[in-house]
Amino acid sequence: MSELTDFPDTDSPHTDGLWQSITLLHAWLEADQPHGGQEGLLLRMLKLQEEVGEVAQAVIGATGQNPRKGTTHTWDDVQSELCDVVITALVALRTLTPDAREVFATHLAGVTARSLGSRRG
């Protein structure tokens, strides 16, 4: 079996729960957003940058790189923040297109083929 066939299928039943959650989160955010239209869309995209900043803050805190604060986070905190980045990105993608699942699956397959296909065995 090649590495490409070992890679999980993003259209499998195992990912149904993921996409159901993304759909529910998107609907929840849409129902209660203070800004709509283009402004709401841009703010949804900016939320992703906020989450990435929280990953950086957690890494700095986990490594104790700020001498004034010391160790303020754990690597479990970093994992949690990375999950928030993924969720936020998928909700942002869903905001751009109702076909987020298909867009993501197609893009992931292309990146996987391009990356793993370039390996020399």
Side-chain angles (χ1 to χ4, degrees):
M1 206 183 290
S2 78
E3 290 176 356
L4 289 178
T5 58
D6 291 341
F7 200 78
D9 181 3
T10 58
D11 286 329
S12 75
H14 297 96
T15 62
D16 286 346
L18 168 80
W19 289 104
Q20 288 171 354
S21 293
I22 295 303
T23 298
L24 291 171
L25 289 168
H26 173 261
W28 172 69
L29 288 169
E30 288 295 306
D32 195 30
Q33 70 173 350
H35 303 281
Q38 189 71 12
E39 184 180 15
L41 176 66
L42 294 174
L43 290 168
R44 183 79 43 88
M45 301 305 132
L46 287 176
K47 179 67 175 165
L48 184 56
Q49 181 61 41
E50 178 188 19
E51 295 297 342
V52 170
E54 290 176 9
V55 171
Q57 182 179 22
V59 169
I60 289 168
T63 58
Q65 289 301 301
N66 184 335
R68 186 173 52 82
K69 294 181 179 179
T71 302
T72 58
H73 291 76
T74 66
W75 287 104
D76 285 344
D77 294 326
V78 176
Q79 290 177 16
S80 179
E81 295 300 345
L82 285 169
C83 289
D84 287 349
V85 168
V86 172
I87 293 165
T88 302
L90 292 176
V91 170
L93 181 60
R94 174 55 188 86
T95 300
L96 288 175
T97 177
D99 299 324
R101 180 180 181 151
E102 293 79 19
V103 169
F104 182 75
T106 300
H107 188 78
L108 180 60
V111 169
T112 302
R114 195 170 56 246
S115 299
L116 299 181
S118 68
R119 287 186 175 177
R120 295 179 189 187

